mmCIF file of all heavy atoms in Angstrom:
data_model
loop_
_atom_site.group_PDB
_atom_site.id
_atom_site.type_symbol
_atom_site.label_atom_id
_atom_site.label_comp_id
_atom_site.label_asym_id
_atom_site.label_seq_id
_atom_site.Cartn_x
_atom_site.Cartn_y
_atom_site.Cartn_z
ATOM 1 N N ARG A 12 2.619 72.616 -9.968
ATOM 2 C CA ARG A 12 2.515 72.316 -11.399
ATOM 3 C C ARG A 12 3.227 73.384 -12.229
ATOM 4 O O ARG A 12 3.921 73.075 -13.199
ATOM 5 C CB ARG A 12 1.050 72.225 -11.814
ATOM 6 C CG ARG A 12 0.410 70.930 -11.377
ATOM 7 C CD ARG A 12 -0.991 70.776 -11.919
ATOM 8 N NE ARG A 12 -1.541 69.495 -11.482
ATOM 9 C CZ ARG A 12 -2.798 69.293 -11.216
ATOM 10 N NH1 ARG A 12 -3.672 70.273 -11.341
ATOM 11 N NH2 ARG A 12 -3.217 68.102 -10.826
ATOM 12 N N GLU A 13 3.046 74.655 -11.841
ATOM 13 C CA GLU A 13 3.714 75.734 -12.569
ATOM 14 C C GLU A 13 5.225 75.604 -12.453
ATOM 15 O O GLU A 13 5.948 75.761 -13.446
ATOM 16 C CB GLU A 13 3.268 77.096 -12.018
ATOM 17 C CG GLU A 13 1.849 77.468 -12.371
ATOM 18 C CD GLU A 13 1.397 78.749 -11.675
ATOM 19 O OE1 GLU A 13 2.251 79.442 -11.069
ATOM 20 O OE2 GLU A 13 0.198 79.053 -11.750
ATOM 21 N N ASP A 14 5.703 75.301 -11.239
ATOM 22 C CA ASP A 14 7.140 75.136 -11.029
ATOM 23 C C ASP A 14 7.672 73.962 -11.846
ATOM 24 O O ASP A 14 8.749 74.044 -12.451
ATOM 25 C CB ASP A 14 7.454 74.924 -9.551
ATOM 26 C CG ASP A 14 7.200 76.177 -8.717
ATOM 27 O OD1 ASP A 14 7.029 77.263 -9.324
ATOM 28 O OD2 ASP A 14 7.156 76.065 -7.476
ATOM 29 N N ALA A 15 6.924 72.859 -11.855
ATOM 30 C CA ALA A 15 7.348 71.683 -12.620
ATOM 31 C C ALA A 15 7.385 71.998 -14.117
ATOM 32 O O ALA A 15 8.314 71.590 -14.824
ATOM 33 C CB ALA A 15 6.405 70.508 -12.348
ATOM 34 N N LYS A 16 6.381 72.737 -14.595
ATOM 35 C CA LYS A 16 6.335 73.118 -16.010
ATOM 36 C C LYS A 16 7.524 74.007 -16.353
ATOM 37 O O LYS A 16 8.173 73.826 -17.391
ATOM 38 C CB LYS A 16 5.008 73.846 -16.313
ATOM 39 C CG LYS A 16 4.896 74.419 -17.696
ATOM 40 C CD LYS A 16 4.517 73.354 -18.691
ATOM 41 C CE LYS A 16 4.144 74.002 -20.006
ATOM 42 N NZ LYS A 16 5.011 73.663 -21.083
ATOM 43 N N ALA A 17 7.827 74.971 -15.472
ATOM 44 C CA ALA A 17 8.976 75.855 -15.701
ATOM 45 C C ALA A 17 10.271 75.050 -15.725
ATOM 46 O O ALA A 17 11.124 75.269 -16.598
ATOM 47 C CB ALA A 17 9.028 76.939 -14.619
ATOM 48 N N GLU A 18 10.414 74.112 -14.787
ATOM 49 C CA GLU A 18 11.621 73.280 -14.749
ATOM 50 C C GLU A 18 11.704 72.400 -15.998
ATOM 51 O O GLU A 18 12.779 72.224 -16.575
ATOM 52 C CB GLU A 18 11.612 72.411 -13.478
ATOM 53 C CG GLU A 18 12.893 71.669 -13.228
ATOM 54 C CD GLU A 18 14.070 72.588 -12.971
ATOM 55 O OE1 GLU A 18 13.889 73.672 -12.418
ATOM 56 O OE2 GLU A 18 15.197 72.201 -13.358
ATOM 57 N N TYR A 19 10.573 71.874 -16.431
ATOM 58 C CA TYR A 19 10.525 71.066 -17.650
ATOM 59 C C TYR A 19 10.967 71.894 -18.859
ATOM 60 O O TYR A 19 11.774 71.442 -19.667
ATOM 61 C CB TYR A 19 9.096 70.536 -17.845
ATOM 62 C CG TYR A 19 8.874 69.832 -19.163
ATOM 63 C CD1 TYR A 19 9.316 68.527 -19.356
ATOM 64 C CD2 TYR A 19 8.225 70.473 -20.223
ATOM 65 C CE1 TYR A 19 9.112 67.869 -20.564
ATOM 66 C CE2 TYR A 19 8.024 69.835 -21.426
ATOM 67 C CZ TYR A 19 8.466 68.537 -21.597
ATOM 68 O OH TYR A 19 8.269 67.902 -22.794
ATOM 69 N N ASP A 20 10.430 73.116 -18.944
ATOM 70 C CA ASP A 20 10.800 73.996 -20.059
ATOM 71 C C ASP A 20 12.291 74.315 -20.039
ATOM 72 O O ASP A 20 12.950 74.322 -21.084
ATOM 73 C CB ASP A 20 9.979 75.299 -20.018
ATOM 74 C CG ASP A 20 8.510 75.060 -20.345
ATOM 75 O OD1 ASP A 20 8.189 73.988 -20.927
ATOM 76 O OD2 ASP A 20 7.687 75.940 -20.014
ATOM 77 N N LYS A 21 12.836 74.588 -18.831
ATOM 78 C CA LYS A 21 14.270 74.867 -18.717
ATOM 79 C C LYS A 21 15.086 73.663 -19.181
ATOM 80 O O LYS A 21 16.076 73.808 -19.898
ATOM 81 C CB LYS A 21 14.644 75.195 -17.268
ATOM 82 C CG LYS A 21 14.245 76.569 -16.826
ATOM 83 C CD LYS A 21 14.662 76.776 -15.375
ATOM 84 C CE LYS A 21 14.132 78.065 -14.821
ATOM 85 N NZ LYS A 21 14.468 78.231 -13.399
ATOM 86 N N THR A 22 14.663 72.466 -18.755
ATOM 87 C CA THR A 22 15.391 71.248 -19.122
ATOM 88 C C THR A 22 15.337 71.032 -20.639
ATOM 89 O O THR A 22 16.364 70.704 -21.253
ATOM 90 C CB THR A 22 14.782 70.031 -18.398
ATOM 91 O OG1 THR A 22 14.820 70.278 -16.990
ATOM 92 C CG2 THR A 22 15.550 68.767 -18.712
ATOM 93 N N ILE A 23 14.175 71.244 -21.228
ATOM 94 C CA ILE A 23 14.028 71.093 -22.682
ATOM 95 C C ILE A 23 14.907 72.120 -23.408
ATOM 96 O O ILE A 23 15.599 71.775 -24.379
ATOM 97 C CB ILE A 23 12.546 71.247 -23.104
ATOM 98 C CG1 ILE A 23 11.711 70.079 -22.558
ATOM 99 C CG2 ILE A 23 12.397 71.336 -24.611
ATOM 100 C CD1 ILE A 23 12.112 68.723 -23.082
ATOM 101 N N ASP A 24 14.896 73.367 -22.943
ATOM 102 C CA ASP A 24 15.733 74.406 -23.572
ATOM 103 C C ASP A 24 17.210 74.057 -23.461
ATOM 104 O O ASP A 24 17.972 74.205 -24.434
ATOM 105 C CB ASP A 24 15.464 75.772 -22.928
ATOM 106 C CG ASP A 24 14.096 76.324 -23.282
ATOM 107 O OD1 ASP A 24 13.491 75.821 -24.266
ATOM 108 O OD2 ASP A 24 13.618 77.242 -22.571
ATOM 109 N N ARG A 25 17.624 73.574 -22.270
ATOM 110 C CA ARG A 25 19.021 73.175 -22.096
ATOM 111 C C ARG A 25 19.374 72.024 -23.035
ATOM 112 O O ARG A 25 20.444 72.005 -23.651
ATOM 113 C CB ARG A 25 19.266 72.752 -20.645
ATOM 114 C CG ARG A 25 20.065 73.768 -19.870
ATOM 115 C CD ARG A 25 20.425 73.277 -18.479
ATOM 116 N NE ARG A 25 19.373 73.706 -17.578
ATOM 117 C CZ ARG A 25 18.726 72.943 -16.733
ATOM 118 N NH1 ARG A 25 19.018 71.678 -16.610
ATOM 119 N NH2 ARG A 25 17.772 73.416 -15.976
ATOM 120 N N ALA A 26 18.462 71.063 -23.163
ATOM 121 C CA ALA A 26 18.710 69.918 -24.040
ATOM 122 C C ALA A 26 18.810 70.378 -25.497
ATOM 123 O O ALA A 26 19.682 69.904 -26.246
ATOM 124 C CB ALA A 26 17.595 68.887 -23.888
ATOM 125 N N ARG A 27 17.952 71.311 -25.901
ATOM 126 C CA ARG A 27 18.017 71.833 -27.272
ATOM 127 C C ARG A 27 19.339 72.565 -27.503
ATOM 128 O O ARG A 27 19.960 72.408 -28.557
ATOM 129 C CB ARG A 27 16.851 72.775 -27.528
ATOM 130 C CG ARG A 27 15.549 72.062 -27.739
ATOM 131 C CD ARG A 27 14.434 73.005 -28.113
ATOM 132 N NE ARG A 27 13.175 72.277 -28.233
ATOM 133 C CZ ARG A 27 12.019 72.718 -27.804
ATOM 134 N NH1 ARG A 27 11.918 73.902 -27.241
ATOM 135 N NH2 ARG A 27 10.939 71.980 -27.948
ATOM 136 N N ASP A 28 19.732 73.385 -26.522
ATOM 137 C CA ASP A 28 21.009 74.099 -26.651
ATOM 138 C C ASP A 28 22.169 73.118 -26.755
ATOM 139 O O ASP A 28 23.068 73.285 -27.600
ATOM 140 C CB ASP A 28 21.225 75.038 -25.455
ATOM 141 C CG ASP A 28 20.270 76.222 -25.451
ATOM 142 O OD1 ASP A 28 19.647 76.478 -26.517
ATOM 143 O OD2 ASP A 28 20.139 76.887 -24.397
ATOM 144 N N ASP A 29 22.148 72.087 -25.891
ATOM 145 C CA ASP A 29 23.219 71.084 -25.926
ATOM 146 C C ASP A 29 23.224 70.351 -27.268
ATOM 147 O O ASP A 29 24.298 70.101 -27.843
ATOM 148 C CB ASP A 29 23.056 70.075 -24.783
ATOM 149 C CG ASP A 29 23.333 70.694 -23.424
ATOM 150 O OD1 ASP A 29 23.889 71.817 -23.385
ATOM 151 O OD2 ASP A 29 22.993 70.059 -22.401
ATOM 152 N N ALA A 30 22.040 70.011 -27.761
ATOM 153 C CA ALA A 30 21.959 69.315 -29.050
ATOM 154 C C ALA A 30 22.489 70.205 -30.170
ATOM 155 O O ALA A 30 23.214 69.731 -31.063
ATOM 156 C CB ALA A 30 20.507 68.910 -29.341
ATOM 157 N N GLN A 31 22.156 71.498 -30.119
ATOM 158 C CA GLN A 31 22.651 72.428 -31.145
ATOM 159 C C GLN A 31 24.167 72.548 -31.059
ATOM 160 O O GLN A 31 24.854 72.570 -32.091
ATOM 161 C CB GLN A 31 21.988 73.816 -30.980
ATOM 162 C CG GLN A 31 22.299 74.764 -32.106
ATOM 163 C CD GLN A 31 21.824 74.262 -33.456
ATOM 164 O OE1 GLN A 31 20.735 73.709 -33.567
ATOM 165 N NE2 GLN A 31 22.646 74.405 -34.475
ATOM 166 N N LYS A 32 24.710 72.605 -29.849
ATOM 167 C CA LYS A 32 26.168 72.672 -29.689
ATOM 168 C C LYS A 32 26.823 71.420 -30.256
ATOM 169 O O LYS A 32 27.858 71.492 -30.929
ATOM 170 C CB LYS A 32 26.541 72.828 -28.212
ATOM 171 C CG LYS A 32 26.287 74.208 -27.670
ATOM 172 C CD LYS A 32 26.624 74.279 -26.190
ATOM 173 C CE LYS A 32 26.243 75.628 -25.607
ATOM 174 N NZ LYS A 32 26.453 75.695 -24.167
ATOM 175 N N ILE A 33 26.216 70.261 -29.959
ATOM 176 C CA ILE A 33 26.763 68.998 -30.469
ATOM 177 C C ILE A 33 26.727 68.992 -31.996
ATOM 178 O O ILE A 33 27.691 68.577 -32.651
ATOM 179 C CB ILE A 33 26.003 67.792 -29.876
ATOM 180 C CG1 ILE A 33 26.322 67.670 -28.383
ATOM 181 C CG2 ILE A 33 26.337 66.507 -30.599
ATOM 182 C CD1 ILE A 33 25.458 66.670 -27.637
ATOM 183 N N LYS A 34 25.618 69.466 -32.578
ATOM 184 C CA LYS A 34 25.512 69.531 -34.041
ATOM 185 C C LYS A 34 26.578 70.456 -34.618
ATOM 186 O O LYS A 34 27.222 70.124 -35.620
ATOM 187 C CB LYS A 34 24.128 70.051 -34.462
ATOM 188 C CG LYS A 34 23.023 69.056 -34.355
ATOM 189 C CD LYS A 34 21.713 69.707 -34.816
ATOM 190 C CE LYS A 34 20.528 68.804 -34.668
ATOM 191 N NZ LYS A 34 19.275 69.454 -35.068
ATOM 192 N N ASP A 35 26.740 71.630 -33.970
ATOM 193 C CA ASP A 35 27.742 72.590 -34.458
ATOM 194 C C ASP A 35 29.147 71.996 -34.386
ATOM 195 O O ASP A 35 29.939 72.129 -35.335
ATOM 196 C CB ASP A 35 27.677 73.894 -33.652
ATOM 197 C CG ASP A 35 26.387 74.666 -33.893
ATOM 198 O OD1 ASP A 35 25.687 74.360 -34.892
ATOM 199 O OD2 ASP A 35 26.080 75.568 -33.077
ATOM 200 N N GLU A 36 29.441 71.352 -33.238
ATOM 201 C CA GLU A 36 30.758 70.731 -33.100
ATOM 202 C C GLU A 36 30.944 69.605 -34.110
ATOM 203 O O GLU A 36 32.031 69.433 -34.679
ATOM 204 C CB GLU A 36 30.928 70.210 -31.668
ATOM 205 C CG GLU A 36 31.098 71.310 -30.644
ATOM 206 C CD GLU A 36 31.143 70.796 -29.216
ATOM 207 O OE1 GLU A 36 31.137 69.561 -29.009
ATOM 208 O OE2 GLU A 36 31.177 71.636 -28.303
ATOM 209 N N ALA A 37 29.894 68.818 -34.339
ATOM 210 C CA ALA A 37 29.985 67.731 -35.323
ATOM 211 C C ALA A 37 30.199 68.303 -36.720
ATOM 212 O O ALA A 37 30.992 67.753 -37.509
ATOM 213 C CB ALA A 37 28.719 66.883 -35.287
ATOM 214 N N ALA A 38 29.508 69.415 -37.027
ATOM 215 C CA ALA A 38 29.694 70.043 -38.342
ATOM 216 C C ALA A 38 31.127 70.555 -38.491
ATOM 217 O O ALA A 38 31.751 70.383 -39.548
ATOM 218 C CB ALA A 38 28.693 71.189 -38.531
ATOM 219 N N LYS A 39 31.643 71.179 -37.431
ATOM 220 C CA LYS A 39 33.039 71.659 -37.471
ATOM 221 C C LYS A 39 34.000 70.488 -37.642
ATOM 222 O O LYS A 39 34.948 70.554 -38.438
ATOM 223 C CB LYS A 39 33.385 72.419 -36.188
ATOM 224 C CG LYS A 39 32.780 73.786 -36.113
ATOM 225 C CD LYS A 39 33.158 74.456 -34.799
ATOM 226 C CE LYS A 39 32.439 75.774 -34.621
ATOM 227 N NZ LYS A 39 32.727 76.401 -33.326
ATOM 228 N N ALA A 40 33.746 69.414 -36.880
ATOM 229 C CA ALA A 40 34.623 68.241 -36.970
ATOM 230 C C ALA A 40 34.543 67.636 -38.371
ATOM 231 O O ALA A 40 35.571 67.237 -38.947
ATOM 232 C CB ALA A 40 34.230 67.210 -35.919
ATOM 233 N N ALA A 41 33.324 67.581 -38.932
ATOM 234 C CA ALA A 41 33.181 67.037 -40.286
ATOM 235 C C ALA A 41 33.901 67.907 -41.293
ATOM 236 O O ALA A 41 34.556 67.400 -42.219
ATOM 237 C CB ALA A 41 31.700 66.921 -40.642
ATOM 238 N N LYS A 42 33.809 69.230 -41.127
ATOM 239 C CA LYS A 42 34.491 70.158 -42.041
ATOM 240 C C LYS A 42 36.000 69.977 -41.944
ATOM 241 O O LYS A 42 36.692 69.931 -42.967
ATOM 242 C CB LYS A 42 34.089 71.592 -41.702
ATOM 243 C CG LYS A 42 34.571 72.599 -42.699
ATOM 244 C CD LYS A 42 34.025 73.975 -42.368
ATOM 245 C CE LYS A 42 34.494 74.987 -43.386
ATOM 246 N NZ LYS A 42 33.994 76.336 -43.104
ATOM 247 N N LEU A 43 36.505 69.836 -40.700
ATOM 248 C CA LEU A 43 37.943 69.616 -40.517
ATOM 249 C C LEU A 43 38.372 68.299 -41.152
ATOM 250 O O LEU A 43 39.419 68.226 -41.813
ATOM 251 C CB LEU A 43 38.298 69.618 -39.027
ATOM 252 C CG LEU A 43 38.363 70.975 -38.349
ATOM 253 C CD1 LEU A 43 38.575 70.793 -36.845
ATOM 254 C CD2 LEU A 43 39.491 71.810 -38.912
ATOM 255 N N GLN A 44 37.561 67.257 -40.939
ATOM 256 C CA GLN A 44 37.885 65.959 -41.536
ATOM 257 C C GLN A 44 37.871 66.045 -43.057
ATOM 258 O O GLN A 44 38.733 65.463 -43.733
ATOM 259 C CB GLN A 44 36.884 64.893 -41.061
ATOM 260 C CG GLN A 44 37.026 64.504 -39.613
ATOM 261 C CD GLN A 44 38.361 63.842 -39.325
ATOM 262 O OE1 GLN A 44 38.948 63.157 -40.157
ATOM 263 N NE2 GLN A 44 38.873 64.079 -38.127
ATOM 264 N N THR A 45 36.896 66.797 -43.590
ATOM 265 C CA THR A 45 36.830 66.967 -45.045
ATOM 266 C C THR A 45 38.073 67.690 -45.556
ATOM 267 O O THR A 45 38.674 67.284 -46.569
ATOM 268 C CB THR A 45 35.559 67.772 -45.434
ATOM 269 O OG1 THR A 45 34.429 67.083 -44.909
ATOM 270 C CG2 THR A 45 35.423 67.914 -46.922
ATOM 271 N N GLU A 46 38.463 68.754 -44.836
ATOM 272 C CA GLU A 46 39.668 69.502 -45.232
ATOM 273 C C GLU A 46 40.904 68.609 -45.152
ATOM 274 O O GLU A 46 41.761 68.629 -46.056
ATOM 275 C CB GLU A 46 39.845 70.745 -44.334
ATOM 276 C CG GLU A 46 38.812 71.818 -44.544
ATOM 277 C CD GLU A 46 38.867 72.419 -45.945
ATOM 278 O OE1 GLU A 46 39.969 72.593 -46.503
ATOM 279 O OE2 GLU A 46 37.786 72.687 -46.489
ATOM 280 N N LYS A 47 40.992 67.813 -44.080
ATOM 281 C CA LYS A 47 42.138 66.906 -43.941
ATOM 282 C C LYS A 47 42.151 65.878 -45.074
ATOM 283 O O LYS A 47 43.191 65.567 -45.643
ATOM 284 C CB LYS A 47 42.088 66.180 -42.586
ATOM 285 C CG LYS A 47 42.519 67.014 -41.420
ATOM 286 C CD LYS A 47 42.477 66.177 -40.146
ATOM 287 C CE LYS A 47 42.825 66.972 -38.930
ATOM 288 N NZ LYS A 47 42.760 66.175 -37.700
ATOM 289 N N ALA A 48 40.947 65.354 -45.374
ATOM 290 C CA ALA A 48 40.864 64.362 -46.452
ATOM 291 C C ALA A 48 41.245 64.980 -47.782
ATOM 292 O O ALA A 48 41.969 64.362 -48.588
ATOM 293 C CB ALA A 48 39.449 63.792 -46.517
ATOM 294 N N LYS A 49 40.803 66.231 -48.025
ATOM 295 C CA LYS A 49 41.163 66.908 -49.277
ATOM 296 C C LYS A 49 42.670 67.103 -49.355
ATOM 297 O O LYS A 49 43.286 66.878 -50.407
ATOM 298 C CB LYS A 49 40.457 68.273 -49.367
ATOM 299 C CG LYS A 49 38.996 68.191 -49.734
ATOM 300 C CD LYS A 49 38.399 69.585 -49.828
ATOM 301 C CE LYS A 49 36.925 69.559 -50.144
ATOM 302 N NZ LYS A 49 36.316 70.895 -50.193
ATOM 303 N N ARG A 50 43.258 67.542 -48.235
ATOM 304 C CA ARG A 50 44.719 67.737 -48.228
ATOM 305 C C ARG A 50 45.441 66.413 -48.466
ATOM 306 O O ARG A 50 46.412 66.352 -49.214
ATOM 307 C CB ARG A 50 45.151 68.346 -46.896
ATOM 308 C CG ARG A 50 45.335 69.834 -46.991
ATOM 309 C CD ARG A 50 46.002 70.416 -45.744
ATOM 310 N NE ARG A 50 44.958 71.152 -45.042
ATOM 311 C CZ ARG A 50 44.579 70.976 -43.799
ATOM 312 N NH1 ARG A 50 45.188 70.089 -43.051
ATOM 313 N NH2 ARG A 50 43.619 71.681 -43.282
ATOM 314 N N ALA A 51 44.943 65.361 -47.816
ATOM 315 C CA ALA A 51 45.587 64.054 -47.981
ATOM 316 C C ALA A 51 45.480 63.581 -49.427
ATOM 317 O O ALA A 51 46.448 63.062 -49.997
ATOM 318 C CB ALA A 51 44.946 63.039 -47.041
ATOM 319 N N VAL A 52 44.301 63.817 -50.033
ATOM 320 C CA VAL A 52 44.127 63.424 -51.433
ATOM 321 C C VAL A 52 45.044 64.233 -52.327
ATOM 322 O O VAL A 52 45.681 63.710 -53.254
ATOM 323 C CB VAL A 52 42.644 63.568 -51.845
ATOM 324 C CG1 VAL A 52 42.478 63.458 -53.349
ATOM 325 C CG2 VAL A 52 41.802 62.510 -51.145
ATOM 326 N N LYS A 53 45.140 65.535 -52.040
ATOM 327 C CA LYS A 53 46.013 66.405 -52.844
ATOM 328 C C LYS A 53 47.464 65.964 -52.724
ATOM 329 O O LYS A 53 48.195 65.910 -53.713
ATOM 330 C CB LYS A 53 45.871 67.866 -52.396
ATOM 331 C CG LYS A 53 44.589 68.511 -52.862
ATOM 332 C CD LYS A 53 44.537 69.958 -52.408
ATOM 333 C CE LYS A 53 43.226 70.626 -52.762
ATOM 334 N NZ LYS A 53 43.151 72.008 -52.326
ATOM 335 N N GLU A 54 47.855 65.634 -51.483
ATOM 336 C CA GLU A 54 49.236 65.183 -51.283
ATOM 337 C C GLU A 54 49.472 63.870 -52.027
ATOM 338 O O GLU A 54 50.521 63.678 -52.655
ATOM 339 C CB GLU A 54 49.530 65.025 -49.788
ATOM 340 C CG GLU A 54 49.664 66.324 -49.046
ATOM 341 C CD GLU A 54 49.883 66.123 -47.559
ATOM 342 O OE1 GLU A 54 50.139 64.991 -47.117
ATOM 343 O OE2 GLU A 54 49.782 67.129 -46.827
ATOM 344 N N GLU A 55 48.487 62.982 -51.960
ATOM 345 C CA GLU A 55 48.646 61.700 -52.641
ATOM 346 C C GLU A 55 48.700 61.897 -54.161
ATOM 347 O O GLU A 55 49.510 61.275 -54.857
ATOM 348 C CB GLU A 55 47.486 60.765 -52.268
ATOM 349 C CG GLU A 55 47.754 59.338 -52.695
ATOM 350 C CD GLU A 55 46.685 58.404 -52.167
ATOM 351 O OE1 GLU A 55 46.233 58.576 -51.019
ATOM 352 O OE2 GLU A 55 46.320 57.494 -52.920
ATOM 353 N N ILE A 56 47.809 62.802 -54.645
ATOM 354 C CA ILE A 56 47.838 63.089 -56.090
ATOM 355 C C ILE A 56 49.179 63.691 -56.481
ATOM 356 O O ILE A 56 49.751 63.352 -57.522
ATOM 357 C CB ILE A 56 46.660 64.018 -56.469
ATOM 358 C CG1 ILE A 56 45.343 63.257 -56.352
ATOM 359 C CG2 ILE A 56 46.828 64.567 -57.866
ATOM 360 C CD1 ILE A 56 44.114 64.113 -56.545
ATOM 361 N N ALA A 57 49.684 64.563 -55.600
ATOM 362 C CA ALA A 57 50.975 65.188 -55.885
ATOM 363 C C ALA A 57 52.066 64.128 -55.928
ATOM 364 O O ALA A 57 52.942 64.160 -56.817
ATOM 365 C CB ALA A 57 51.279 66.247 -54.842
#
């Protein structure tokens, strides 16, 4: 039971880390898309 609990905790921690990485990457991708959209709008306005 202790081993299973430890493995469960490790799996949960790994999943949280992976989810945080995905969120960070999504935020970076969204920021890049926003910057690209701003540049495209600026170019179009120009």
